[in-house]
Amino acid sequence: MEAPVNNSLQQFKNLVGTKFQLYNSLFTSLPFHRVEKTGVFLSLFLLHCEEGYAKGNSPQEIMDSFFKQYTTYTEEKQRTDLLFRFVQYAERQVVLFDALEDAAFRNIRDLQGAGTLRHLQSEVIQEQAQEQLKEKLKDFSVRLVLTAHPTQFYPGEVLGIINDLSKALIDENTSQVNMYLQQLGKTPFFKKEKPTPYDEAISLVWFLENIFYQSAGRILSSIRAQFPGAISSDNSLIRMGFWPGGDRDGNPFVNAPTTLEVAAALRSSVMKCYFREVRNLRRRLTFKGVENVVAALEQKLSRNLFVPGHKADISRKEILATLSDIRSTILADHNGLFVHLVDNLISKVEVFGLFFASLDIRQDSSVHEAVLEAVAAQAKALPDNYTSLPDEEKIAALLNVSGAIDPMTLENSLHQDTLQTIAGIKQIQAANGEEGCNRYIISHSTSVLNVMEVYGLFLLSGWKKEDMTVDIVPLFETIDDLRHAGQVMKLLYENKDYREHLRRRQCKQTIMLGFSDGTKDGGYLMANWSIYKAKEELTKISKEYGISVVFFDGRGGPPARGGGKTHQFYASMGRNIANQEIQQTIQGQTISSNFGTVDAAQFNMEQLIHAGISNELFSSRDVTLTKSEEDLLQLLADEGYKSYNKLKTHPHFLAYLDHASPLRYYAEANIGSRPSKRNASAKLNLNDLRAVPYVGAWSQLKQNVPGYYGVGSALEQLDKQGKWEEVTALYKHSLFFRTLLDNCEMAMKKSYFPLTAYLAKHPQYGEVWQMIYAEFELTRKYLLQLTNETELMGGSPIDLLSIQMRERVVLPLLTTQQYALTRIRELDSHPDNGHGRETYEKLIMRCSFGIINAGRNSA
C-alpha cells in the first residue's frame, strides 16, 4: 500500500500544491482596489503571523507590529480597509484551492480501489457471492438527505464558478482559468439579506440537477453492467431526501405554502432533467419505430413543463413504460444500438421518479403538544380535560378522533400551519408520487405519546388510518433520550393501532438518531457510544416484535457532529446492528466538499454502498464488539463524559465561548433562514443553542472542543487502571473504535492554540482555556502513543497535507477575526474610543465566511 499512497501524495503536491502557487500569482491581476499591494502585504502578513505566534504574541500584538513594520497606516480606517482587502483576497484563494482539489480528485483518489464498485465486483467473484448479492440488493439502499442547515457560505453563483474553474483546471486552460478568477473578483461572496427557505431549497436543487442526477445514473448503470439482474426494479439502491422547505423545527419561516412550493420545484427540476435527456436521445435514436415514440415523450414532457396552466398528465409509470417499449424495439429490431443510453435514463427515472428527492417534514414535539392542547380548547375535537389526562388516556383520545377539523378554528398561526402542512402532504403525494413526501420526523422525541400525537394530528387533518401513507419517525438526540429509546419503541410496538399502521407500512420503522445534540450534551465519546448502544438495543427489540428497523443518522460535517469518515462506521458494524439501509443527512459544506463534483459524489456514494453490502456479504462479525470490548468502551465513554461534564458545568464555560469566539455573530451572517437559537428570547444556554453555531464557534476559535474533549482523560484513566494493553488491542481489532479516533485526530489537526494563548492568563476565562489546552495535549499524547505515528493524522498523508495548506491560507483571517473581537471588547469598555464597532462586526462576519469555507467540514 505504501507505493500507491506515496504516488497519490506526490500527485497531490503536483496538481494541488504546486498549481496553487502558480495560479495564485494570477491573483495579481484581479480587479481589487490597489490589488498589487494587497497580494504582497498578505504574503508578508502570513509570515508575520507565523513568526508572531511562534514568539507567543497575541493577535493584537501581531496586528499592531505588522502595521508599524510594513505600512505607514496610522488611522484605523486605513487599517480596516486593508484588512477587508485581505479577506477578499483570502476568500478567493480558498475557492482556488477548492477548485484545484476538485480538479485533481481523479488523480489522488483510486476510483477503482478499496470501497468502490469495481472492488466490490472482484470481492463478489472471488467469494462466489453473486446470489447473496442479489438477495441483499432486494431491499438494501443508501439514502442521502440534503439538509437546510447552513454551514455552506458560498452563494450559488460562486458554486457555479468553482465548478467551471475545476473543469478549466482539468483541461489546463490557463486563459479560461484567468477569466474565471477575474469573475470571482467581481462576484460578491456574501448575502446582505437572509435567504428564505425557498432560496435554500433552490441552492440545493443545483446539486440534485448537476451532481446527484449524473452520479446516481452512473452508479446504477455500472452495477447493472457488472451484476446483470442483481438490482430489482422494486427497490431503489440510491434514494435522495430533502429538508429545505420541509424542516420547520425552530424555523418560523417554513410554512405550508413553502413546503408545497418546494415540492413543485423538485418535480419541475427532475422533469427538466428528463426533458433534456430525452431531447439528446432523439439525436441518437433515429430508427424506425423508435424515433416517433421518443418525439412523443419529449413533447409530453415539454407540455407538462412549459405550457402555462397545463394540467399535469404524466406519471413515473408512464415514462418507464414508454422507455421500456423503446428498449424492447431497439433490442428486437436495431441490434441493441444505443440501448445503454435508454437503460441509463430508466435507472434515473426509477430512482428520482417525479419527486427528485423525498421531502421530509420535521417539527419539534413541543409544538405538537401545544397544537393538541389548542385543539382541545378551541376546536372541541378532543376532550375538554385532554391537557390534564395521563399519557395512556391522551393516546386513547387521539385514536378516537372521528374526522378532520378546520385549521382556521385555531387561533395561533403556527397551530393552523401545522395542520395545513399535514393536509398538504396529500397534495404533494398526488403530484409527485407517494415518495415525494412520506416521512414526518419528530424532534425531541421522549415518549410514546410524542409519536401518537403526530398520529392523532394526521387524523385531525383528514387522513384515514387505513390510508396513512406516511412513516412517523421519532428523533432521539440527548444522552438520556438515547438511553430510553428502547423502552419507548417497545411500548410503541405494543400499541395495537400503531402496530396496524406499521403492518400497512411493510412492518418497517425508521428511527432517527442525532449526533450533533448528543455531542453537545455528553461529549464526543459518550455521544457516539450512546448512539451505538441505542442502535444495538433498538435492533434487538425491533427483531423481537417482527419489525424491520431502519436507522437514519443525523450527521453534520465535522466529527463533533457525526461527520468524518462515515462509511467506515457503517463498514464496522456487525450483525447486531440493523443494516437494511444506510440513511444519513448531508449538511452544508459536506455537500460541496464530498459531493461537489460528479466524480467525488460517485466515489463517496460507492463507499457507502460498498460499506453496507460488504458488511453483510463478507464480514464474519456476528457482533460489532465482543462483550469485553463493549465493557472497555463503556468505561472510556463514562470517563470521557465525566471530563466533558466538568468542563460543560464550569461557571464560565459558555461565557468563555461567547467572549472568545464569533458565536453571537452567527445569527447575523445571513447564511441560513433558521435562527441560531431555538428560543430567541432566552439568554444564552446550552439547551437552546443549536449545534451548528456551537460547533462552528469552537471551530473558528481553533479549539474544536466537541471533537475530542474527554478522549485524553478517558485514555489516561484506563492507562492508570492497567488496561492500556486492552485499549491497544481494541484499537488494532475494532474498525469502529479506530474510526472514532481517526475522526478525533481530524478535529485536533484543525486546532491551533497559539491563536488564543493570550487568554491563558485571563482573570475570568484563563482557567477554561487552560482546561481545554491541557485536555488537547493529553489527548494528543495518548493518540500518538496508540497510533505509533509522530504526527496527528500521520496515517492519512493526503488529508493531512490538504488541512495544513488550508490552515495556512486562513491564518491571516483567524488573526484578523481575533483582532476584531479584541477591538470590540475595547470599544465596549471605552465607547468613545476610535473607529465604530459596526466595522469590526462586519470584519468578524466576513472572516467567518472564509474560515468556514476553508475548513470544508467545520460546522
Side-chain angles (χ1 to χ4, degrees):
M1 280 300 293
E2 195 64 31
V5 169
N6 285 339
N7 183 45
S8 295
L9 183 60
Q10 191 56 51
Q11 288 274 58
F12 185 90
K13 287 175 179 175
N14 294 341
L15 297 174
V16 181
T18 305
K19 283 192 175 183
F20 178 70
Q21 300 303 330
L22 175 68
Y23 285 114
N24 196 26
S25 65
L26 291 176
F27 276 103
T28 55
S29 63
L30 287 184
F32 291 150
H33 172 59
R34 291 170 68 184
V35 71
E36 69 289 345
K37 289 189 179 177
T38 305
V40 174
F41 274 150
L42 185 57
S43 300
L44 289 171
F45 184 50
L46 170 60
L47 294 171
H48 194 74
C49 289
E50 290 174 331
E51 290 167 9
Y53 289 126
K55 292 175 190 169
N57 294 341
S58 71
Q60 172 94 48
E61 290 166 337
I62 288 169
M63 195 67 77
D64 289 344
S65 61
F66 171 76
F67 281 118
K68 188 176 178 182
Q69 191 173 332
Y70 293 104
T71 77
T72 56
Y73 299 160
T74 53
E75 293 178 19
E76 279 194 79
K77 187 174 187 317
Q78 289 178 305
R79 293 181 171 197
T80 52
D81 281 351
L82 180 62
L83 294 178
F84 276 115
R85 293 208 300 277
F86 281 175
V87 173
Q88 279 186 303
Y89 203 99
E91 280 175 334
R92 284 149 180 84
Q93 285 181 313
V94 172
V95 169
L96 174 60
F97 198 88
D98 285 347
L100 282 164
E101 279 203 327
D102 288 346
F105 191 88
R106 280 181 159 267
N107 300 94
I108 56 180
R109 302 291 176 197
D110 187 352
L111 301 189
Q112 298 192 348
T116 62
L117 292 180
R118 182 68 68 186
H119 180 223
L120 178 66
Q121 183 185 28
S122 62
E123 287 177 302
V124 168
I125 292 168
Q126 190 175 334
E127 299 291 329
Q128 296 188 329
Q130 286 88 340
E131 285 306 309
Q132 293 97 306
L133 175 69
K134 198 170 181 179
E135 192 61 31
K136 175 68 178 173
L137 288 176
K138 279 182 182 173
D139 58 11
F140 176 73
S141 66
V142 168
R143 182 191 289 244
L144 302 178
V145 181
L146 309 183
T147 80
H149 297 168
T151 58
Q152 173 60 65
F153 290 79
Y154 291 139
E157 298 84 359
V158 176
L159 286 171
I161 296 170
I162 293 175
N163 194 273
D164 295 339
L165 185 55
S166 293
K167 288 174 185 170
L169 288 164
I170 290 170
D171 297 337
E172 298 193 350
N173 188 331
T174 309
S175 64
Q176 222 168 25
V177 169
N178 194 20
M179 280 194 293
Y180 292 146
L181 290 176
Q182 289 190 50
Q183 185 186 357
L184 275 177
K186 294 276 193 184
T187 305
F189 267 50
F190 66 101
K191 301 209 175 285
K192 292 182 178 173
E193 296 175 0
K194 268 185 177 293
T196 66
Y198 185 76
D199 294 334
E200 288 177 327
I202 295 306
S203 70
L204 288 189
V205 166
W206 186 93
F207 286 96
L208 286 172
E209 284 186 12
N210 294 281
I211 307 296
F212 291 104
Y213 182 77
Q214 305 296 340
S215 54
R218 276 194 198 174
I219 288 171
L220 292 166
S221 295
S222 175
I223 289 182
R224 288 204 161 106
Q226 290 175 29
F227 309 107
I231 298 183
S232 156
S233 58
D234 299 329
N235 178 53
S236 291
L237 176 63
I238 296 165
R239 302 166 194 257
M240 297 303 299
F242 206 75
W243 275 19
D247 178 17
R248 57 249 301 131
D249 174 15
N251 191 341
F253 307 110
V254 179
N255 53 34
T258 304
T259 303
L260 293 171
E261 198 179 359
V262 169
L266 286 165
R267 184 180 195 273
S268 171
S269 177
V270 76
M271 284 176 63
K272 280 177 193 165
C273 291
Y274 298 154
F275 174 74
R276 283 194 293 263
E277 197 151 346
V278 169
R279 173 164 276 189
N280 288 334
L281 271 179
R282 278 191 69 186
R283 296 173 65 182
R284 301 280 81 86
L285 304 182
T286 51
F287 326 134
K288 185 180 175 184
V290 174
E291 183 185 20
N292 58 327
V293 183
V294 178
L297 178 57
E298 182 195 0
Q299 285 162 14
K300 191 158 193 181
L301 285 165
S302 177
R303 283 196 302 275
N304 277 266
L305 270 170
F306 306 120
V307 176
H310 181 83
K311 192 173 185 299
D313 63 349
I314 196 164
S315 67
R316 173 180 182 266
K317 188 176 178 183
E318 181 188 344
I319 296 171
L320 285 172
T322 305
L323 291 172
S324 180
D325 289 346
I326 291 168
R327 185 179 193 278
S328 299
T329 307
I330 291 173
L331 288 173
D333 302 339
H334 305 291
N335 302 321
L337 190 59
F338 297 126
V339 76
H340 66 285
L341 298 177
V342 180
D343 285 341
N344 190 284
L345 181 52
I346 288 172
S347 294
K348 289 168 180 170
V349 178
E350 285 176 348
V351 169
F352 299 116
L354 291 183
F355 57 90
F356 221 156
S358 297
L359 188 59
D360 287 342
I361 308 297
R362 182 172 78 134
Q363 182 56 284
D364 193 273
S365 59
S366 61
V367 172
H368 305 138
E369 182 184 359
V371 173
L372 290 167
E373 287 175 4
V375 167
Q378 296 159 28
K380 307 301 180 189
L382 290 169
D384 291 342
N385 64 341
Y386 174 82
T387 306
S388 60
L389 294 175
D391 283 10
E392 293 78 8
E393 291 181 39
K394 280 183 178 176
I395 291 169
L398 290 167
L399 291 170
N400 282 330
V401 167
S402 56
I405 64 165
D406 180 357
M408 301 316 290
T409 58
L410 304 181
E411 294 164 8
N412 183 294
S413 60
L414 175 60
H415 301 166
Q416 295 167 6
D417 189 74
T418 302
L419 293 175
Q420 287 164 347
T421 298
I422 293 172
I425 294 172
K426 274 188 178 177
Q427 279 180 254
I428 296 171
Q429 290 192 356
N432 295 16
E434 186 194 308
E435 281 186 84
C437 185
N438 63 356
R439 303 204 303 187
Y440 195 110
I441 300 162
I442 311 161
S443 300
H444 291 111
S445 290
T446 60
S447 65
V448 173
L449 178 61
N450 288 157
V451 176
M452 297 312 293
E453 282 170 338
V454 170
Y455 188 87
L457 285 168
F458 269 80
L459 299 178
L460 287 164
S461 303
W463 291 78
K464 303 290 183 212
K465 290 182 183 179
E466 59 275 13
D467 301 322
M468 204 182 289
T469 50
V470 175
D471 297 319
I472 302 173
V473 181
L475 164 53
F476 300 103
E477 300 174 88
T478 66
I479 303 301
D480 273 351
D481 291 349
L482 290 164
R483 283 178 182 149
H484 299 136
Q487 184 60 22
V488 169
M489 296 311 298
K490 183 175 186 294
L491 293 171
L492 197 56
Y493 293 154
E494 288 172 359
N495 181 288
K496 187 167 75 69
D497 287 80
Y498 192 75
R499 271 307 293 265
E500 186 57 25
H501 171 66
L502 285 179
R503 187 190 64 74
R504 288 190 288 267
R505 302 298 294 160
Q506 288 81 50
C507 290
K508 185 187 284 189
Q509 173 67 56
T510 302
I511 299 173
M512 187 173 180
L513 302 163
F515 284 76
S516 301
D517 282 336
T519 308
K520 189 180 71 167
D521 183 41
Y524 183 69
L525 283 175
M526 181 56 86
N528 280 278
W529 180 241
S530 297
I531 286 170
Y532 168 80
K533 290 302 289 179
K535 283 186 175 182
E536 186 177 49
E537 185 185 15
L538 290 165
T539 300
K540 183 170 175 286
I541 288 168
S542 300
K543 201 175 283 184
E544 285 169 8
Y545 284 86
I547 302 297
S548 173
V549 69
V550 173
F551 296 119
F552 175 25
D553 291 340
R555 297 181 180 274
R561 298 184 56 233
K565 300 172 182 177
T566 53
H567 63 277
Q568 288 182 193
F569 278 118
Y570 297 117
S572 74
M573 294 295 120
R575 293 186 180 90
N576 61 321
I577 305 288
N579 181 36
Q580 185 179 334
E581 296 181 30
I582 289 175
Q583 296 192 8
Q584 66 171 91
T585 54
I586 309 292
Q587 298 183 13
Q589 292 167 301
T590 315
I591 299 172
S592 54
S593 59
N594 288 0
F595 302 91
T597 66
V598 175
D599 283 341
Q602 183 176 344
F603 179 80
N604 285 302
M605 287 159 86
E606 285 187 15
Q607 294 287 317
L608 288 169
I609 292 167
H610 182 274
I613 293 174
S614 64
N615 186 325
E616 178 99 358
L617 266 57
F618 313 123
S619 170
S620 56
R621 290 187 300 272
D622 284 325
V623 291
T624 311
L625 300 157
T626 64
K627 176 71 171 67
S628 61
E629 287 173 338
E630 283 211 356
D631 292 344
L632 198 65
L633 262 165
Q634 184 66 59
L635 277 174
L636 283 164
D638 289 340
E639 293 296 342
Y641 180 69
K642 277 185 212 166
S643 173
Y644 177 73
N645 211 40
K646 190 177 173 188
L647 176 71
K648 192 177 81 168
T649 54
H650 190 286
H652 300 313
F653 172 64
L654 263 188
Y656 165 78
L657 183 62
D658 192 40
H659 172 87
S661 80
L663 175 65
R664 69 182 72 178
Y665 300 101
Y666 258 83
E668 299 164 41
N670 293 334
I671 53 163
S673 66
R674 197 166 72 157
S676 60
K677 290 195 295 181
R678 285 189 171 90
N679 186 346
S681 61
K683 67 173 190 175
L684 188 64
N685 75 69
L686 207 53
N687 289 335
D688 284 334
L689 187 58
R690 290 199 172 278
V692 168
Y694 176 71
V695 173
W698 285 115
S699 168
Q700 291 188 64
L701 197 51
K702 287 294 157 189
Q703 293 184 351
N704 284 322
V705 163
Y708 64 83
Y709 201 96
V711 174
S713 292
L715 292 170
E716 183 185 48
Q717 284 304 313
L718 266 69
D719 187 15
K720 285 179 178 175
Q721 292 170 28
K723 296 181 184 292
W724 187 250
E725 278 188 24
E726 292 173 53
V727 173
T728 308
L730 179 65
Y731 183 79
K732 186 178 177 184
H733 297 120
S734 167
L735 178 60
F736 173 75
F737 185 51
R738 227 168 28 251
T739 305
L740 206 57
L741 296 190
D742 284 352
N743 284 344
C744 180
E745 287 187 61
M746 185 193 297
M748 295 178 72
K749 200 65 203 175
K750 292 182 179 182
S751 300
Y752 185 68
F753 279 86
L755 179 71
T756 51
Y758 70 97
L759 292 167
K761 295 188 173 78
H762 190 281
Q764 187 175 347
Y765 302 119
E767 188 180 357
V768 177
W769 190 93
Q770 296 281 5
M771 284 174 74
I772 295 167
Y773 182 59
E775 183 64 30
F776 176 88
E777 286 298 316
L778 186 64
T779 306
R780 184 176 172 277
K781 170 191 158 187
Y782 274 103
L783 287 180
L784 292 178
Q785 200 173 319
L786 203 53
T787 59
N788 287 321
E789 297 284 354
T790 56
E791 185 176 5
L792 291 172
M793 288 187 70
S796 305
I798 295 172
D799 293 338
L800 172 61
L801 185 56
S802 174
I803 288 171
Q804 287 171 332
M805 292 184 72
R806 286 174 176 277
E807 293 298 301
R808 279 200 86 216
V809 172
V810 297
L811 187 59
L813 299 185
L814 293 163
T815 306
T816 300
Q817 188 179 68
Q818 280 297 314
Y819 167 71
L821 284 163
T822 304
R823 288 293 295 126
I824 284 176
R825 289 193 292 267
E826 286 174 0
L827 290 170
D828 286 346
S829 58
H830 303 95
D832 302 326
N833 176 28
H835 209 40
R837 65 175 288 145
E838 301 81 23
T839 303
Y840 289 109
E841 287 178 338
K842 186 180 175 187
L843 197 53
I844 288 165
M845 287 187 280
R846 288 296 305 278
C847 287
S848 288
F849 301 158
I851 294 165
I852 289 196
N853 284 335
R856 291 220 122 177
N857 68 345
S858 52

